[in-house]
Amino acid sequence: MKFAVIQFPGSNCDLDMYHAVKDVLGEEAEYVWHDEADLSGFDGVLVPGGFSFGDYLRCGAIARFSNIMKEVVKAAEAGKPVLGVCNGFQVLTEAGLLPGALLRNRDLKFMCRNVTLKVENAGTMFTAEYAEGDELTIPIAHGEGNYYCDDETYSKLKESGRIVFTYSGDNPNGSVGDIAGILNEKGNVLGMMPHPERAVEKLLGSDDGLKMFQSIVKEWRESHANYA
Ligand SMILES: NC(=O)CC[C@H](N)C(=O)O
């Protein structure tokens, strides 16, 4: 499986993302600069974290106008897996691929530490290798991770199993319904604030994020199997 790792000026989790899929998972990966205009050769798209365009205006608000975003939208429409982590999640909400918005953290501070995530839905292409209710240790590193959506959107997300991860016990940023990660309607675009790519080796303190990448690859292999 071949992944595109999108790079904006100010991205800083792109190398971690690349390392996770290329070195740890052993899949193909390539960096794609935000100005490029073609993702047709890729099977999956990873929008990593960081401070794209210096977080000016709002996190992700400028990045979403980058050339490559038209291609990211196309990839999403084609059903390819698209994963946005942290700033990537912010970019995907700004681009309208996911509902809601990421506001300043409740305590107005940048937070950088491990949190406990609960797997709310293990029936997605991103979480099939987990079990429902699994608790994962995954780091956060953000100033604007306070997920907000209106009541109607929240009910829709909840009823349709699109709340994939919640913060267990301790909600670090004030997110509505303790939301840490959500899915689009079709089920192929996931945005989450915590960083699974920084939790793929025991050496890093946790490898609880690895199953997310393994889930994506397994699902892709199964749907592209050629028994001819
Ligand atoms: N690590 C990140 O992607 C940070 C995202 C964004 N710059 C914020 O502070 O919220």
Side-chain angles (χ1 to χ4, degrees):
M1 182 167 184
K2 189 170 175 183
F3 289 97
V5 178
I6 310 296
Q7 292 181 306
F8 300 102
S11 294
N12 73 351
C13 308
D14 40 346
L15 275 72
D16 296 349
M17 194 65 100
Y18 183 93
H19 173 69
V21 290
K22 177 93 174 180
D23 305 327
V24 183
L25 212 63
E27 298 297 316
E28 284 183 72
E30 259 178 41
Y31 293 117
V32 178
W33 187 235
H34 71 108
D35 217 18
E36 299 281 324
D38 187 15
L39 286 174
S40 57
F42 295 94
D43 307 305
V45 181
L46 304 169
V47 190
F51 297 77
S52 57
F53 296 92
D55 280 351
Y56 281 101
L57 296 181
R58 268 191 322 272
C59 300
I62 300 179
R64 82 101 152 159
F65 290 104
S66 288
N67 245 352
I68 200 66
M69 288 310 296
K70 289 188 207 90
E71 283 293 304
V72 175
V73 170
K74 250 199 236 169
E77 284 170 359
K80 292 183 186 178
V82 176
L83 170 65
V85 171
C86 205
N87 192 225
F89 184 13
Q90 295 163 337
V91 173
L92 296 182
T93 57
E94 289 288 341
L97 284 171
L98 291 170
L102 282 312
L103 312 181
R104 289 284 299 276
N105 291 346
R106 178 189 48 218
D107 300 334
L108 307 180
K109 289 197 177 109
F110 188 95
M111 310 187 84
C112 190
R113 60 173 166 84
N114 277 336
V115 295
T116 306
L117 286 192
K118 186 170 166 206
V119 179
E120 297 285 345
N121 183 352
T124 81
M125 67 163 78
F126 301 92
T127 52
E129 292 292 287
Y130 295 108
E132 206 148 306
D134 271 0
E135 302 227 315
L136 321 176
T137 300
I138 309 272
I140 54 164
H142 60 249
E144 300 192 16
N146 179 356
Y147 181 77
Y148 175 79
C149 63
D150 60 30
D151 292 348
E152 194 189 329
T153 308
Y154 177 74
S155 306
K156 257 199 221 161
L157 288 173
K158 193 155 172 86
E159 280 158 21
S160 51
R162 288 165 56 197
I163 299 173
V164 179
F165 297 111
T166 54
Y167 299 107
S168 179
D170 156 40
N171 177 338
N173 50 34
S175 287
V176 162
D178 300 329
I179 286 178
I182 57 162
L183 206 57
N184 68 339
E185 224 172 308
K186 210 151 99 180
N188 66 316
V189 178
L190 177 83
M192 63 191 293
M193 286 314 290
H195 290 267
E197 80 284 6
R198 289 183 175 170
V200 290
E201 291 158 295
K202 284 263 186 258
L203 188 64
L204 298 173
S206 167
D207 59 1
D208 288 353
L210 191 55
K211 282 185 180 170
M212 157 161 300
F213 297 101
Q214 288 169 337
S215 301
I216 301 171
V217 172
K218 188 166 177 241
E219 161 79 23
W220 184 85
R221 291 245 155 82
E222 281 169 4
S223 57
H224 288 78
N226 183 353
Y227 299 109

